[in-house]
Amino acid sequence: MLNNQRLGRSLDAAICAVGCLVSLAVAVPWLRHPRGLPITTIVVAIAIVAISHVPMRLPSQAGTIEISFAPAALVYVSLFTSLSGASVLWLAATAVMFLSERSKPITDRVFNVGCVSLSGVVLLSIVSLHHGLLAPETLLLVATGCAAFFLVDLFLTMVTLAVAQGISMNNVLQPVRIVIPLVCFIGIDTLGYLAALLDAAYPAWAMSLLTVPLVTIVVATRALGRAAESERRTKSVYAIVQAASGVDGGADIVELLVQKLGELLPNRAVSARQRPPGDAEIGAGLTVGGTTSAWLVVARGRGYDFTANEIETVQELSRVASEMLDRQQLVGKITHLARFDVLTGLTNRTLFLDRLEHALARTMRTGQSVAVLYCDLDGFKGVNDRLGHDAGDGVLIAVADRLSAQLRSADTAARLGGDEFAILIDEVDTVDVARDLGERIVEAMQHPFDIDGQVIRLGVSVGVAFTSYDVGAEELLHGADIAMYSAKTAGKNCVEVFDTEMRHRTRRKLVLEDELRAALEDGSLWLAWQPVVEVETGRLDGFEVLLRWTHPHLGNIAPDIMLPIATQIGLMPEIGRWVLQEGHRRALTLSQVAGRPLALAVNVGPEQLKDKVFLAEIERLARDKRVQLVVELTEHSLIDDETAGLRLDRLHDAGVGVAIDDFGIGYSSISYLHRFRCIDTVKIDRSFIAGLNGDDRMRALVQSVIAMARAFDATVVAEGIEDMDTLDEVRALGCHFGQGYLLGRPEQFATALELARRGTVAPVLLPLL
């Protein structure tokens, strides 16, 4: 660019030298023999300098073209003065006219002296061929001379402009766009011929009549120019707004802005860059989100100083472009939010399904297969409950990073919501590839997460759905979801591949969900009563109530099927309150028949332990001392709940007994005796009791549990007593109470009522005296 500018300045100097030399060469005869000049000619020469500062500005597609009245005065001079004399006057007037002008750089003024003086010599040379003022050929020569002046001046200007800006002549010189300015130039400057005719035929004062058309032309064309400029600017703003709606990036909008502004200011050099405008430049910042991202810069080039209209145009178009850039950025953010997960940056469900649909469409053409992995974190809810949602968010971000690290660039990972993620594997050959990826994901999640100094351990259950035939995106994702739940059922932290049997099981499960809701109302749910007995005396201590569901077509539904369904569909709180209320109502009858308060043990899950309504209902029922209410909790209910102790203390203070069920099968069983001082009863898991016969190590273990429970003032219930040998072992170890099929199976209420009347188990179970 700098080389082009240096070359342009050199060319300016060369044209100035050529123009001056040609003018002086033509003026040699007059310079050798100077003669006096008519006073009118001298006055006109002075007028040339004056009227050069009041050009007519004519709008065109190539930009605003300035047409000076000076060539009209030159035509007048050429008709009354010799060629050499007129050349001297014109060169002098040109030098004064341009060198005294301060609104342009010196290089431009030097160029204009040479260019205009040379153009004037061409005009004078042509007009000097006339043979009389009134000859018809003279008017033709004047018009030809004016045309030649215009074309020479235009050609030299365009050449230097092309050289200085390093562009081709085709970009700056377009013949179609100069026709109208040329015609106007000829029409205006042939007024000099009219002035000559007036001067020859009328008194000198008649020349003043020319001021009327001249002033009218100047005022009219300038008003027209302002209107046309305003119209062009409005059209450009509209064109930018209209075109910007169809471009995709900010760079396209900036390029469009430079193009439109270049059309509005064809004689200026327009560009977009990172640095602000310098000397001989104007510009405006393009802001995005309040920050200037680029500068729109216009260089003065060969034009005059910038007009207020040009400055306003640059600022207005820059403001419009900035608004479009802001809007495009906002649209981009909205689009991103609509397609990507805000927290993890992964695709969301909508975009994932869209990509899955495209992948499935490709399988029809390529014959390759698609696999979807559905991943659900194991134990994530406890993170939010214990550490708060900020820690939970940190875990989700880390999980997303680990998932992405396992994928190819062509694969897609998505967060579907909560702690559920999905992965799309496109163009996969066998289901083993997807299974291997699932196993790598399971392994990757085994490493602890360090979130703000907190060490968090989680697992992940992964379901895989694989297809090589036409299937819908939602259907394939649902298949992976079903397989994931199968992995949960299989023990979590593993991978399961979808098969049709899983779908059948899922459909059956959906049917059971609907029917379980109805069972709570139609009496299909009922309570089974299993006695708890003093092992030394056979005396009935109370009952544990167990929920049962007798399906009208499927028969008895096992609790391990029913309870997960109730939890999943959110029915567990309502069922839990029903069990509590119905069990207590019937326990009152049992206690009345027995003639003494009996214990009523109700199993309570972790969700119920957090249900304020449920806890308030327990406290209310516990105030009725005719029934000794006991809540049984598994170790799982306590593992992920650091506030469970406060709630259990509250229940214990209200008179509710607290028992740990299945004691011994967890790693933290013993620690709970110390952590929860409100524990009244320890129920030893049936797996330990069943192994007492002939196993000294198991006997020692059970004995130590009994001893520890006594040390913490807790009674002991042995579960799973199914034969006399086991009963004898339990008695020998000093266990307080027992429960099992030998002592009583879970039965209907009528059986429990009969047992309450007797007060003891069958006589055969009593100890031998």
Side-chain angles (χ1 to χ4, degrees):
M1 188 66 182
L2 291 176
N3 291 334
N4 291 335
Q5 292 177 353
R6 293 192 188 99
L7 184 59
R9 287 194 291 268
S10 300
L11 186 59
D12 290 345
I15 290 175
C16 179
V18 170
C20 292
L21 290 175
V22 170
S23 298
L24 291 174
V26 174
V28 165
W30 189 89
L31 293 174
R32 291 178 63 183
H33 304 288
R35 295 184 298 276
L37 296 174
I39 187 63
T40 55
T41 305
I42 296 175
V43 171
V44 169
I46 296 172
I48 289 175
V49 176
I51 64 177
S52 65
H53 296 289
V54 191
M56 182 182 72
R57 292 187 173 91
L58 185 66
S60 74
Q61 291 180 334
T64 300
I65 296 179
E66 292 186 351
I67 298 178
S68 174
F69 294 102
L74 179 60
V75 169
Y76 173 85
V77 171
S78 67
L79 294 173
F80 293 101
T81 309
S82 65
L83 175 61
S84 59
S87 297
V88 170
L89 283 175
W90 181 246
L91 179 60
T94 300
V96 173
M97 182 168 56
F98 290 112
L99 294 180
S100 63
E101 187 180 33
R102 301 299 180 184
S103 62
K104 284 189 176 183
I106 185 62
T107 54
D108 291 356
R109 287 181 273 163
V110 168
F111 164 78
N112 286 335
V113 170
C115 178
V116 175
S117 62
L118 183 59
S119 302
V121 169
V122 173
L123 184 151
L124 291 173
S125 300
I126 295 174
V127 176
S128 66
L129 300 176
H130 75 91
H131 299 290
L133 187 61
L134 299 177
E137 295 84 357
T138 300
L139 178 60
L140 179 61
L141 289 173
V142 168
T144 304
C146 289
F149 184 104
F150 179 87
L151 294 174
V152 171
D153 181 81
L154 179 65
F155 178 77
L156 292 177
T157 301
M158 295 298 105
V159 168
T160 55
L161 185 62
V163 171
Q165 295 185 4
I167 57 179
S168 67
M169 285 290 293
N170 293 331
N171 292 334
V172 294
L173 185 60
Q174 300 181 20
V176 176
R177 294 186 175 184
I178 65 173
V179 173
I180 294 178
L182 173 61
V183 172
C184 292
F185 185 87
I186 294 173
I188 293 297
D189 289 326
T190 51
L191 287 176
Y193 178 65
L194 178 59
L197 293 178
L198 289 174
D199 188 28
Y202 297 96
W205 61 266
M207 295 285 288
S208 62
L209 297 175
L210 290 175
T211 59
V212 175
L214 289 175
V215 171
T216 302
I217 291 172
V218 170
V219 172
T221 54
R222 291 207 169 184
L224 176 63
R226 285 192 294 270
E229 189 69 26
S230 177
E231 181 182 3
R232 291 172 62 200
R233 190 169 62 204
T234 302
K235 287 183 177 180
S236 294
V237 170
Y238 177 76
I240 289 175
V241 173
Q242 186 180 40
S245 61
V247 300
D248 294 329
D252 296 329
I253 292 180
V254 173
E255 182 180 350
L256 178 66
L257 176 62
V258 171
Q259 174 191 341
K260 293 299 180 183
L261 190 57
E263 294 173 1
L264 281 174
L265 308 174
N267 296 325
R268 309 290 195 183
V270 182
S271 62
R273 68 189 190 202
Q274 296 300 314
R275 66 180 189 278
D279 296 338
E281 293 178 332
I282 60 173
L286 300 176
T287 60
V288 181
T291 303
T292 301
S293 60
W295 288 88
L296 182 67
V297 177
V298 180
R300 183 164 60 179
R302 294 202 171 278
Y304 289 87
D305 280 345
F306 295 105
T307 65
N309 188 48
E310 288 177 322
I311 296 173
E312 183 181 352
T313 298
V314 172
Q315 293 175 344
E316 183 176 354
L317 292 183
S318 299
R319 184 167 56 253
V320 171
S322 295
E323 291 176 359
M324 295 302 300
L325 290 170
D326 270 336
R327 186 175 303 172
Q328 189 177 72
Q329 185 184 60
L330 178 61
V331 170
K333 288 181 178 178
I334 294 174
T335 302
H336 187 274
L337 290 175
R339 304 177 72 185
F340 292 87
D341 177 57
V342 177
L343 179 64
T344 63
L346 300 179
T347 59
N348 62 10
R349 185 186 186 92
T350 301
L351 181 56
F352 181 83
L353 287 174
D354 181 67
R355 292 186 179 179
L356 179 54
E357 287 177 355
H358 283 84
L360 291 171
R362 284 194 298 272
T363 63
M364 303 301 295
R365 300 191 304 269
T366 63
Q368 289 189 300
S369 301
V370 170
V372 171
L373 282 70
Y374 204 113
C375 309
D376 184 88
L377 300 180
D378 300 327
F380 177 74
K381 185 176 182 300
V383 176
N384 282 336
D385 292 342
R386 294 196 316 272
L387 305 178
H389 289 279
D390 288 342
D393 289 347
V395 169
L396 293 175
I397 294 172
V399 168
D401 292 340
R402 292 190 186 182
L403 287 177
S404 300
Q406 301 297 325
L407 304 184
R408 306 170 303 176
S409 59
D411 299 333
T412 298
R415 182 187 176 208
L416 303 181
D419 60 339
E420 296 181 340
F421 298 83
I423 294 172
L424 165 62
I425 311 177
D426 197 3
E427 298 182 354
V428 60
D429 295 327
T430 66
V431 70
D432 291 335
V433 175
R435 189 199 303 273
D436 290 343
L437 175 59
E439 291 174 352
R440 292 200 305 272
I441 290 173
V442 170
E443 182 180 356
M445 299 303 164
Q446 298 301 308
H447 302 287
F449 295 89
D450 187 347
I451 307 298
D452 295 331
Q454 294 281 348
V455 177
I456 301 172
R457 299 181 183 275
L458 296 174
V460 62
S461 298
V462 181
V464 177
F466 175 84
T467 183
S468 56
Y469 56 89
D470 186 18
V471 65
E474 286 280 6
E475 183 180 356
L476 188 63
L477 182 61
H478 183 57
D481 188 13
I482 293 173
M484 182 274 294
Y485 275 106
S486 179
K488 292 277 190 187
T489 305
K492 302 182 179 181
N493 208 35
C494 62
V495 181
E496 289 287 335
V497 178
F498 174 79
D499 57 35
T500 55
E501 179 57 32
M502 288 183 185
R503 188 179 300 278
H504 295 325
R505 289 198 300 269
T506 301
R507 288 174 179 169
R508 288 197 298 269
K509 177 172 167 289
L510 292 175
V511 171
L512 289 177
E513 288 179 1
D514 294 335
E515 294 179 339
L516 180 57
R517 296 180 190 275
L520 191 58
E521 301 174 359
D522 63 16
S524 298
L525 294 181
W526 57 279
L527 296 179
W529 301 77
Q530 185 173 26
V532 178
V533 179
E534 290 183 4
V535 295
E536 289 292 341
T537 65
R539 183 174 182 266
L540 177 67
D541 180 70
F543 294 90
E544 178 184 357
V545 289
L546 302 168
L547 182 64
R548 294 292 184 262
W549 179 18
T550 301
H551 192 277
H553 306 297
L554 303 177
N556 292 328
I557 306 297
D560 59 352
I561 295 178
M562 172 181 54
L563 295 180
I565 292 176
T567 301
Q568 185 176 348
I569 64 177
L571 200 58
M572 202 62 212
E574 188 175 353
I575 290 178
R577 287 192 290 272
W578 179 83
V579 170
L580 178 64
Q581 293 166 355
E582 179 68 9
H584 188 271
R585 183 180 68 84
R586 297 217 170 197
L588 287 174
T589 302
L590 294 175
S591 295
Q592 183 178 4
V593 170
R596 56 188 171 87
L598 295 177
L600 173 67
V602 179
N603 291 285
V604 175
E607 295 82 5
Q608 294 169 283
L609 196 59
K610 299 174 184 177
D611 185 349
K612 294 180 180 179
V613 176
F614 182 77
L615 295 178
E617 183 66 7
I618 292 178
E619 290 180 325
R620 185 184 70 83
L621 296 177
R623 287 194 287 269
D624 189 341
K625 301 305 180 183
R626 291 175 293 174
V627 174
Q628 174 57 49
L629 194 57
V630 178
V631 293
E632 290 191 6
L633 303 105
T634 63
E635 294 181 39
H636 176 70
S637 304
L638 305 174
I639 289 176
D640 295 327
D641 191 351
E642 293 185 352
T643 61
L646 296 176
R647 292 190 287 271
L648 292 179
D649 286 341
R650 171 182 162 187
L651 294 179
H652 191 268
D653 293 341
V656 180
V658 178
I660 293 186
D661 197 10
D662 301 332
F663 188 87
I665 61 174
Y667 293 106
S668 304
S669 301
I670 298 174
S671 67
Y672 290 138
L673 293 175
H674 180 267
R675 177 181 168 192
F676 301 107
R677 299 182 181 276
C678 57
I679 293 175
D680 302 295
T681 304
V682 171
K683 301 186 74 173
I684 303 176
D685 186 68
R686 67 183 64 251
S687 61
F688 295 98
I689 301 302
L692 285 176
N693 296 330
D695 189 337
D696 294 337
R697 296 178 62 186
M698 187 64 72
R699 187 180 298 108
L701 178 60
V702 173
Q703 188 173 16
S704 64
V705 170
I706 295 173
M708 281 187 293
R710 286 178 175 172
F712 285 97
D713 295 326
T715 59
V716 180
V717 177
E719 295 184 297
I721 300 175
E722 298 185 0
D723 54 57
M724 287 299 300
D725 291 337
T726 303
L727 178 60
D728 292 339
E729 289 282 1
V730 169
R731 285 171 173 168
L733 291 173
C735 187
H736 304 111
F737 299 97
Q739 197 174 350
Y741 284 180
L742 180 66
L743 304 176
R745 293 173 177 270
E747 297 288 357
Q748 296 277 359
F749 179 72
T751 303
L753 193 62
E754 179 60 30
L755 184 58
R757 286 194 182 98
R758 291 204 315 264
T760 60
V761 297
V764 70
L765 299 182
L766 295 177
L768 297 178
L769 299 178

